Amino acid sequence: LEGRFYSTSCRIFIGESEYTVTATTVTDQNGNTPEDITAWKGNDGARVCGVTWLSYDPSVLEAAGAMKTVFAEFIIPNYNPPKLYGAVSMEDEVTEGLRLTEKTFPSYQMVYLSPDYNSDFLEDGSAHIKFHGSTIIEVLMSEPQECIILHADEMRIMNAVVTQIVDFVNYGFDLQRTFFYICHDGGFQANELYEVRIDFAVDTIRKNYYQYGLYFKPCTSGSDKNCWYTQGESTLMRNVYPCFDEPKFKAPTASAIAPPPEGYSVLYNMPVDHPDEYGNLVFKETPEMSAYLFALAITDYVSLQSPVREDTAVWCSQEDMDKGRAEYSANVGARVIDFYEKYFDVKDR
């Protein structure tokens, strides 16, 4: 677990056992050095705190109050929040507990994304992808819950608050299940609307397969200009922003995108509503939809209006446009949309 704290040690609770961890040592609550747990090699005594199990004995874990999944509580001095939670499965492959509870669900989500438009490929061909953002999620519960659990993957959570909670909330991660926990000692009540605000940042290097979540690639083959896209299906929107990333959870989604480079345009599920005072593009709110349907493209493409439908246009590179490759799609594609609207009795455009 990685946190922005400035201390030479942290405390980790695993079941009923307590450990004090420094950059190089682990001691239990009796001052003894455990034989099967050591300080994680990535500990730096300032920002990173963790432990490594040298052996896996189910009976020992069971005696310590833990089973297949070990839940650790990190107590970190001078850090907000003062507690971080981590969950680690001891199984080779996690096959259980992969779904979120249906007792907690979103009713609305707002997303702000700011790609680092200077992100580029490294010499070995890896994609160094950097962006940051924030989200506001309105959350309801059908029964009282100790924690709000949603999805987040491959990102650093910079801050998480619940506006209805006046004191600190604690949060944590189950990295194997890509769960993000927001917990409060007093719990969360049923049928009360909670507004969750999360700031996050992504700074990751993807090697062979990188075209998922929010990513960039050359705008056209051989181009030195990069365009940005999203790929959220099937379970990859959690790599773009924290969300309830299962199809059963649906909510209207509002979005704002940082100003694109000169000569670029931004396409989203909905049209632009207005630019805000900072130049961010604010889009109209979507109908209720699953998170994986969030679609974004930041490109240097140009558009061709369909002669069949006023609300349909085809976007492509200037080269494809000059060669007439957009005309067929603008004509036939729009007619295909008309056909399926009639077939499925879609009444609103």
Side-chain angles (χ1 to χ4, degrees):
L1 253 175
E2 183 173 330
R4 297 163 292 153
F5 60 93
Y6 300 92
S7 175
T8 58
S9 67
C10 72
R11 284 185 295 154
I12 300 178
F13 293 81
I14 303 172
E16 298 179 356
S17 300
E18 175 184 343
Y19 302 94
T20 299
V21 184
T22 69
T24 58
T25 65
V26 178
T27 54
D28 62 20
Q29 61 264 44
N30 299 316
N32 299 319
T33 300
E35 295 182 358
D36 56 344
I37 299 178
T38 64
W40 183 51
K41 63 181 181 180
N43 289 357
D44 60 7
R47 198 180 58 151
V48 182
C49 184
V51 292
T52 299
W53 276 267
L54 301 179
S55 61
Y56 168 38
D57 186 340
S59 63
V60 173
L61 289 175
E62 186 174 357
M67 294 296 287
K68 291 181 180 180
T69 298
V70 177
F71 292 91
E73 180 179 308
F74 292 67
I75 307 297
I76 304 169
N78 306 318
Y79 179 67
N80 175 23
K83 295 181 182 179
L84 287 175
Y85 301 97
V88 178
S89 174
M90 300 306 236
E91 299 296 298
D92 292 335
E93 183 177 355
V94 178
T95 58
E96 299 178 352
L98 300 176
R99 292 297 186 90
L100 297 176
T101 175
E102 296 185 7
K103 298 174 183 177
T104 304
F105 49 91
S107 63
Y108 169 83
Q109 182 151 16
M110 192 282 168
V111 179
Y112 167 73
L113 293 174
S114 179
D116 182 343
Y117 295 116
N118 293 318
S119 297
D120 207 345
F121 294 95
L122 305 179
E123 291 184 359
D124 64 357
S126 301
H128 190 182
I129 296 173
K130 295 188 288 184
F131 61 92
H132 69 272
S134 59
T135 186
I136 299 173
I137 313 174
E138 294 182 353
V139 178
L140 287 166
M141 299 174 190
S142 59
E143 296 180 9
Q145 302 290 315
E146 181 180 353
C147 300
I148 297 172
I149 308 175
L150 58 158
H151 290 108
D153 191 19
E154 206 179 35
M155 64 181 60
R156 175 178 292 181
I157 303 298
M158 311 304 292
N159 192 34
V161 298
V162 180
T163 56
Q164 288 77 8
I165 305 296
V166 295
D167 52 352
F168 293 133
V169 295
N170 302 304
Y171 50 82
F173 307 86
D174 183 333
L175 300 181
Q176 289 154 302
R177 294 178 175 84
T178 63
F179 288 170
F180 176 56
Y181 294 80
I182 301 175
C183 304
H184 183 247
D185 292 341
F188 300 94
Q189 303 305 311
N191 303 318
E192 183 172 340
L193 187 67
Y194 292 96
E195 185 178 88
V196 179
R197 296 171 176 260
I198 304 172
D199 299 322
F200 58 92
V202 172
D203 186 344
T204 186
I205 296 176
R206 299 178 185 165
K207 294 189 176 181
N208 297 325
Y209 174 58
Y210 68 91
Q211 296 182 21
Y212 64 89
L214 178 61
Y215 67 94
F216 62 83
K217 68 175 185 178
C219 296
T220 55
S221 179
S223 173
D224 59 357
K225 296 173 64 177
N226 291 323
C227 293
W228 289 77
Y229 308 89
T230 54
Q231 171 56 47
E233 192 176 9
S234 300
T235 58
L236 298 170
M237 197 47 62
R238 66 193 69 182
N239 296 82
V240 182
Y241 57 85
C243 59
F244 290 78
D245 195 14
E246 295 180 16
K248 65 186 175 187
F249 298 110
K250 296 177 173 60
T253 304
S255 296
I257 308 299
E262 184 177 355
Y264 280 63
S265 59
V266 181
L267 296 177
Y268 174 60
N269 301 71
M270 301 294 287
V272 173
D273 188 44
H274 65 277
D276 66 13
E277 58 184 312
Y278 304 105
N280 299 313
L281 298 180
V282 180
F283 291 85
K284 293 183 178 180
E285 183 180 296
T286 72
E288 286 189 353
M289 70 175 191
S290 303
Y292 78 91
L293 294 174
F294 182 102
L296 177 69
I298 305 171
T299 71
D300 64 349
Y301 293 173
V302 293
S303 66
L304 176 65
Q305 179 66 43
S306 169
V308 179
R309 291 173 60 111
E310 294 181 358
D311 61 353
T312 302
V314 172
W315 292 75
C316 63
S317 67
Q318 185 65 61
E319 178 184 358
D320 286 338
M321 184 70 71
D322 293 341
K323 293 181 178 180
R325 293 171 177 167
E327 295 178 3
Y328 180 84
S329 297
N331 193 330
V332 177
R335 297 178 190 276
V336 172
I337 295 174
D338 276 339
F339 170 82
Y340 280 110
E341 280 190 342
K342 294 176 183 177
Y343 184 85
F344 290 107
D345 194 24
V346 178
K347 298 185 183 300
D348 296 328
R349 285 190 178 182

